[in-house]
Amino acid sequence: MSTVRTPVEASATTDTSPPERPLRSSKGRFGERNAIGWLFISPTLLVLGVFLFVPIAMAVWVSFSDWSGRGSPFAGSVGFVGLDNYARLLTDEGLTRSDFMTSLRNNFYYVLLVVPAQTVFALFLAVVLNNQLLKARGFFRTAFYFPSVTSSVAIGLIFLFLFSGTGPVNTGLALIGVDAPTWFADARGLLHLLGDGLGLWDISSPPAALEGTSILGLSAWQWLAGPSVALSVIIMLVIWTTTGTFMLLFLAALQDVPIEVEEAARVDGANRWESFKAVTLPHLRPTLLLVITLGIIGTWQVFDQVYVMTQGGPGKTTLTPAYLSYSYAFDSGQWGVAAAMAFILFLIIFVLSSLQRYVLRDKDEAKDRRLERQAKRRRGGQSKEENRLLSQAAHQTAPGEARSSGSGGSL
Amino acid sequence: MTNPLIRAARSRRAALPVLTLTALSLLAACGGGSFDDGAAAGGESGAPASQEGPASLRVLIASSGDAETAAVTDAADAWAEESGNEVEVVVATDITQELTQGFAGGEPPDLFYVDAGAFPDYAVAGNLYPYELEDNDDFYESLRATFTLDGTQYCAPKDFSTLALQINTASWEAAGLTDEDIPTTWEELKTVADTLTTPEQAGLAIGGGRDRAGAFLVQNGGFWVDGAEGTVTASEEGNVEALTYVQELLASGSAVLPSDVDSGWGGEAFGTERAAMTMEGNWIRGAMTNDYPDVEYTVAELPEGPAGKGTLLFTQCWGIAADSPNQAAAVDLVSYLTQPDQQITNAEAFGVMPSRQSAEEDYVAAFPDDAPFIAGGEYGQGPVTLPGLVPALADLDSQLEQIKTADPAGILESFQTNAEAALQQ
């Protein structure tokens, strides 16, 4: 265990055992270096501790407590309630669970629409902007990126105005003879409307089989609602604002694609689409992974648009876990439940991100690694010896190299 | 595998215990200090805390505008001068959030606005120091009841507002109606709304949610809950009748929800003349003067229901923090801020109604047009103030959005279930 050791201590150990001097002294230097290293990173550790680890630890504790929001959550009067808060969200029948499930449903449809759409649009815009022949690329790049750097509150307010009952959008739609809904007051689900339009069901008298089946506090009919009209306005807004950010990521990655490879593909007779699919897209895989991961994390945490524009209404169809957590904490003082929601949300994000990382992994690379492991296992004990030697060698790494590895490790 | 990677893995393992230690010691540091005083007497009435010498009070208000800020600041400064204490009036941008931070941090403002809706949860969490002013009986009974929980009154009502019926004068006259026709019963309200309805204008705009529909429940002798008994009464037959009446009004097309006519609230529907009547509180005065100065209107009391007169009242009180070291001085400041003269000054400055009965006469003399509003103080029903009901009430509001098509009994039944479950927790 290499805890902080003062240089004096380290050199003392060295002096008392002359026979093993070479080895010990190298360890001593290592310890000394370690101490200085810890000293250098201690400000960062302190900042991380205060602003990251402590808040997370507090939130974990709150999610298992009955803290009422008065005084410190660690005060003696705050009780431990075990998994009660989690049970209220997941197993106990009641309003808390159905609120939470409603928010998960809304957020699920939201993610389902936003993530693919923003990824595809961003990729499309990046490919277009990467075209050498395009004029005024700088202008378009700025124009597409502009929504991303504008305050989401300001954009939210503008959308409220655009999509109000007699706003510009509806006025425009009326001109072409479309009878538009009152967007932000319309709680009807898009899937419900679609089914109604296709004659699958009547939206005003839902099929008894769906209405009667209750899953986790919501009826199957409610689960299948799809995003409401109001939520779809928020979906459009978010796609519009975040596409620009991800477009920049794709654009940067596209500029890294070696032009020779593309030209070679062309020479080999691939058309534009084929060379995009077989050459460009595989090059973009790491960026694609990043964009989708960031997309999933961001969309599951949507809060500000809901807070500014709808506060969860109409009919709770724009409620999201992040907003619900806020409202349970600040409006009704149920801090334990609110914190538990946050951790369930964290789990969902964690699982989904890992899942998509697995799905999008580089299959060739994974195969190579598997083969390598198998080869190693066949060699057996021999490789263990190799590892030991390797790790011994690691101690004697030059300081410069060690530093660069340290920063690599923390990423 | 290369050397640097192995090293990185090793130092990461080594870092864990150090991080844990850092985190733990910081946790201890955060927790320390408030261990004892955090648990101390919250919510228990006792001698007000006071310190030696002049007190320095921090007052947090949610101001409706410059007029309110100036009025409160001036009054507080005058008190400070008179009593030799210091006062700082701070205007909150989001009072719920700022109070929450204060309560959690153990240093809340000494004195602050408490909305009736937020009051029960604050009281149960032990954030409020309960007090009564010397002439407590002068406050309207209904307001005192609003801020009473389990037999303890927690704070002094600051002022209040009630719902009344606003009538667009031009539409009224155009429909050939006179003062005789001002509706006093549910039937008359329905008839008048029908008469006033034209293709361009709905007869009546009723704001959504429990804070408007509730008035009809009161007029039929019921309400969502029985505050004194601490029970939920929503599913009683009278309430179903009242909601059904509201549903019929809306279904007939003579009454609309503001969102039906693309308005955010009843006042907007009324001001833009998309509705000829609406049911709003005295706050509509400011909106009409500022945004729709050309619309002439009169105000009448809400019509009587089968069980007599009924309206809703909305109020705030002056909360004093349980953790405040200057409670005695804060009580003194509240009694200064709520004296009748000061309340009349506030009414003139920003249009709220005095919470003291002794100020009613002067108020009516100064604002004869507001008589229908202040009359509600006698028979009005305060908001639901049972603890832990915020999510259930939010759910009720959300269901009431669909009142045109939903089953009234179903809405009430579901609120009954949710609220009862919440009260048991």
Side-chain angles (χ1 to χ4, degrees), chain A residues 2 30 38 45 54 69-72 74 88 95 165-166 307 314-316 326 328 330 332 334-335 390 394-395 405 409, chain B residues 3-4 10 12 14-15 19 26 34-35 94 96-97 100 103-104 125-127 262 323 390-392 395 398 401 418 425:
Chain A
S2 46
F30 179 57
W38 281 113
L45 274 188
V54 173
R70 173 159 185 254
S72 159
F74 299 107
R88 283 183 57 198
L95 184 63
T166 49
Y307 179 76
K316 294 192 177 177
Y326 166 84
Y328 264 68
F330 282 90
S332 51
Q334 303 193 29
W335 295 85
L390 270 175
H395 292 188
S405 81
Chain B
N3 299 345
R10 283 192 158 224
R12 247 190 313 228
L19 285 182
L26 281 165
S34 41
F35 262 65
D94 183 340
T96 316
Q97 198 172 320
T100 306
F103 293 144
N127 289 324
D262 196 31
D323 288 334
V390 173
D395 186 67
S398 152
E401 286 172 18
N418 292 333
Q425 256 157 18

Side-chain angles (χ1 to χ4, degrees), chain B residues 182-278:
Chain B
I182 287 176
T184 55
T185 64
W186 281 6
E187 291 75 38
E188 288 177 21
L189 180 65
K190 174 91 181 67
T191 320
V192 174
D194 286 343
T195 316
L196 284 169
T197 304
T198 64
E200 291 80 38
Q201 196 176 43
L204 171 67
I206 307 176
R210 63 177 194 277
D211 286 337
R212 300 294 177 278
F216 293 96
L217 270 62
V218 178
Q219 289 157 13
N220 206 24
F223 197 52
W224 314 111
V225 299
D226 184 331
E229 294 287 320
T231 53
V232 188
T233 52
S235 61
E236 282 172 9
E237 194 47 42
N239 295 333
V240 181
E241 281 170 25
L243 267 200
T244 311
Y245 170 73
V246 177
Q247 186 171 48
E248 284 165 5
L249 269 181
L250 291 167
S252 71
S254 349
V256 290
L257 296 174
S259 58
D260 294 336
V261 287
D262 196 31
S263 304
W265 61 297
E268 190 184 344
F270 185 70
T272 52
E273 303 196 63
R274 292 174 196 148
M277 298 189 291
T278 191

Side-chain angles (χ1 to χ4, degrees), chain A residues 180-201:
Chain A
T182 332
W183 300 89
F184 284 110
D186 201 328
R188 291 174 302 167
L190 289 190
L191 286 183
H192 281 174
L193 287 171
L194 189 72
D196 190 71
L198 293 175
L200 286 178
W201 50 57

